[in-house]
Amino acid sequence: MTATVPADLDTFFGSNRARIEHELFDFLRIPSVSARSEHNADTARAAQWLAGAFGAAGLKAEVIPTGGHPVVLGEWRGAGADRPTVLVYGHYDVQPAEPLGLWTTPAFEPTVRDGRIYARGSVDDKGQLYLHVKAIEAHLRVRGRLPINIIVLAEGEEEVGSDNLGDFVRAHRDRLRCDAVVISDSSMFAPGQPSILSSLRGLTYLQLDVEGPSSDLHSGIYGGGVINPATALARIIATFHDANGRIAIPGFYDSVRDWDPATRAHMRALPFSDANLLKEVGSPALGGEAGYTTLERLWRRPTCEINGLLSGYTAEGAKTVLPSRAMAKVSCRLVPDQDPAVIEKLLQAHVERVAPAGVRVRVTHLHGGRPWRADLKGPLFDAATLALEAAFHRTPVIVGEGGSIPVVDDFVQALGAPILLMGFGLPGENAHAPDEWMSVENFELGMRAVATLWDLM
Ligand code: BES
Ligand code: ZN
């Protein structure tokens, strides 16, 4: 069976192209940086703006407060009780734009160059969320109805760990009850190659603080006789991996459930190139856990990464100082069935064991989320395959993912519906980095794929 993008919807997208892009740019101009309290008013404004966009698309919209940034809910339930209900999830918050000087054009002044929309949040996730809103609008404007009941849930805290969303989902379980969850907050395997996600990694995020002397000291007068917290921190984090790139924290791999042979074979058959990745990231060489291919290291295996380090004198020139403290941000990406709380305890115990005498070490929880693996069977995935084929003229591939979307596990636990992750980003899109972009073509085809999917459910 093959499908095509319905002509009436395709025409709508074509004739409204300029208006839709204009609206998306308004959305992208709002610096809804969830991590920064100085942007709280902007984040609130983005929520209000989005509720307005939901309303304009024909959804009943509501901004619902949480313990943090609000949830924006849009609903249309006119298809009738015998038709499926779909929950679409996305996020309107974005990562900080720093370092600002590395952007070719300003992060919150969306600009099109070479068929790409450059702006913070263009692909992660405002562009991908907005294409869903426009797919709904197309149905409601052109036909006056949707073939499914729909709930759109947009959160403003995804980039800071979705701390309040799990409670929100559990508290509104009845209202959110659905037959399928659809999320576009990920990337395609390659340009022109639509992709369905089979897994996400989870996350345990911690901060390590190492404290020594009660203030910075002269490194000549005291050095050699006082333990240096920066050196102590370096020694601690150097124990996280062995010489083969394996994580050396006792118990870390105990609950890793490996891919089944079929998934392994499928992933091995994907046309992945280490050389392309090397070009994309610009490192001198790739590396990781011995015995695994790069894609396996990214998708199948857990990690332990240092995300930030702070200690001592880092400004111009030299200063002979023995710092009083050192800090590291550490996060582990997790795979099924690793539990973020268990990994946090293992890491904490390990740090306490290896910490040298002469410093105090504190481990603080920042956030966590569970890994996820899909069961890619059933009518939802068949329909998604057809819809992606209709828009992209190519059969989707199944891919893994190294990133995390914490709420996915909450959806699994609270709603029990199958979850479809079909993203429209691309490799090299610079998510979380300067010059983030989304392909204009993928935005256009993404709208068409999603609008087609609703017809096929
Ligand atoms: N959209 C990403 C997650 C993602 C990235 C999925 C690439 C698929 C492909 C999401 O916005 C994100 O960055 N999530 C954070 C979650 C964290 C802050 C808990 C992440 O993965 O670091
Ligand atoms: Zn995202």
Side-chain angles (χ1 to χ4, degrees):
M1 190 170 128
T2 56
T4 50
V5 176
D8 56 344
L9 303 175
D10 191 53
T11 303
F12 175 88
F13 293 127
S15 48
N16 287 278
R17 192 184 165 134
R19 171 181 65 85
I20 291 172
E21 184 176 290
H22 186 85
E23 292 168 5
L24 172 62
F25 279 26
D26 283 345
F27 192 21
L28 292 172
R29 277 192 200 95
I30 308 174
S32 44
V33 182
S34 51
R36 293 281 161 72
S37 52
E38 72 261 32
H39 283 297
N40 281 356
D42 296 315
T43 306
R45 187 154 54 89
Q48 290 299 337
W49 187 94
L50 190 59
F54 283 4
L59 295 165
K60 187 161 75 59
E62 200 179 331
V63 176
I64 305 175
T66 70
H69 300 299
V71 162
V72 187
L73 211 59
E75 290 165 287
W76 188 88
R77 296 179 186 271
D82 57 331
R83 296 294 303 151
T85 299
V86 176
L87 173 71
V88 172
Y89 161 83
H91 60 95
Y92 64 85
D93 66 322
V94 301
Q95 286 274 326
E98 288 82 3
L100 301 180
L102 296 184
W103 286 78
T104 306
T105 47
F108 297 105
E109 291 174 25
T111 311
V112 176
R113 289 192 301 279
D114 306 326
R116 298 168 168 186
I117 302 163
Y118 283 89
R120 171 57 84 235
S122 54
V123 71
D124 188 9
D125 179 41
K126 286 174 169 171
Q128 299 200 62
L129 170 59
Y130 207 59
L131 69 84
H132 274 276
V133 179
K134 295 295 109 171
I136 292 166
E137 180 178 304
H139 278 271
L140 293 178
R141 288 262 187 97
V142 172
R143 301 175 182 171
R145 65 191 319 281
L146 273 157
I148 51 158
N149 304 298
I150 203 155
I151 309 164
V152 187
L153 189 172
E155 72 155 318
E157 298 189 301
E158 198 276 346
E159 300 291 8
V160 287
S162 299
D163 274 349
N164 293 289
L165 197 60
D167 285 344
F168 180 92
V169 169
R170 285 181 285 277
H172 295 82
R173 183 188 306 233
D174 287 336
R175 187 168 177 186
L176 301 177
R177 195 173 300 281
C178 61
D179 302 289
V181 177
V182 177
I183 302 176
S184 298
D185 187 21
S186 57
S187 297
M188 307 200 316
F189 186 69
Q193 177 58 69
S195 310
I196 293 177
L197 268 196
S198 68
S199 62
L200 290 165
R201 288 194 289 193
L203 196 69
T204 288
Y205 204 131
L206 301 169
Q207 178 167 326
L208 300 189
D209 287 280
V210 178
E211 292 163 1
S214 46
S215 85
D216 284 3
L217 301 174
H218 189 298
S219 68
I221 300 175
Y222 299 100
V226 174
I227 299 298
N228 183 319
T231 311
L233 178 61
R235 288 179 57 184
I236 293 168
I237 63 186
T239 66
F240 289 176
H241 298 85
D242 69 14
N244 293 318
R246 242 182 106 79
I247 294 159
I249 297 164
F252 188 87
Y253 292 100
D254 282 0
S255 49
V256 170
R257 171 164 57 88
D258 205 356
W259 284 352
D260 56 285
T263 304
R264 255 184 298 201
H266 178 89
M267 297 303 186
R268 255 200 307 275
L270 290 172
F272 181 79
S273 147
D274 273 12
N276 283 351
L277 182 68
L278 199 55
K279 238 195 301 172
E280 185 181 316
V281 301
S283 297
L286 299 176
E289 188 182 358
Y292 295 92
T293 65
T294 298
L295 270 193
E296 289 171 336
R297 289 169 176 169
L298 299 176
W299 296 350
R300 174 180 162 195
R301 300 298 291 168
T303 68
C304 182
E305 299 281 358
I306 307 302
N307 300 112
L309 281 173
L310 191 69
S311 187
Y313 182 70
T314 56
E316 193 182 352
K319 180 187 184 197
T320 47
V321 65
L322 194 163
S324 80
R325 51 184 58 222
M327 185 272 277
K329 305 266 184 184
V330 180
S331 66
C332 299
R333 294 283 169 176
L334 310 179
V335 301
D337 293 320
Q338 288 177 301
D339 178 330
V342 171
I343 295 297
E344 180 173 327
K345 283 208 189 74
L346 292 176
L347 198 82
Q348 172 139 21
H350 175 79
V351 167
E352 280 162 13
R353 214 166 25 241
V354 301
V359 290
R360 276 179 298 275
V361 179
R362 213 161 5 106
V363 180
T364 313
H365 164 95
L366 294 182
H367 58 69
R370 280 172 195 278
W372 169 79
R373 200 172 288 169
D375 179 17
L376 296 171
K377 285 191 201 76
L380 175 64
F381 299 98
D382 297 342
T385 300
L386 286 174
L388 288 166
E389 281 173 357
F392 287 85
H393 305 296
R394 192 131 157 220
T395 300
V397 287
I398 306 299
V399 295
E401 178 51 60
S404 311
I405 305 177
V407 73
V408 168
D409 183 68
D410 296 309
F411 288 147
V412 171
Q413 305 301 332
L415 306 177
I419 301 186
L420 168 70
L421 279 105
M422 53 175 199
F424 302 104
L426 283 178
E429 68 201 2
N430 297 326
H432 298 200
D435 280 348
E436 176 181 349
W437 55 270
M438 174 156 192
S439 145
V440 174
E441 184 183 30
N442 275 17
F443 182 84
E444 293 286 330
L445 297 182
M447 277 190 303
R448 286 163 171 83
V450 170
T452 304
L453 174 59
W454 305 149
D455 265 0
L456 297 172
M457 300 242 347

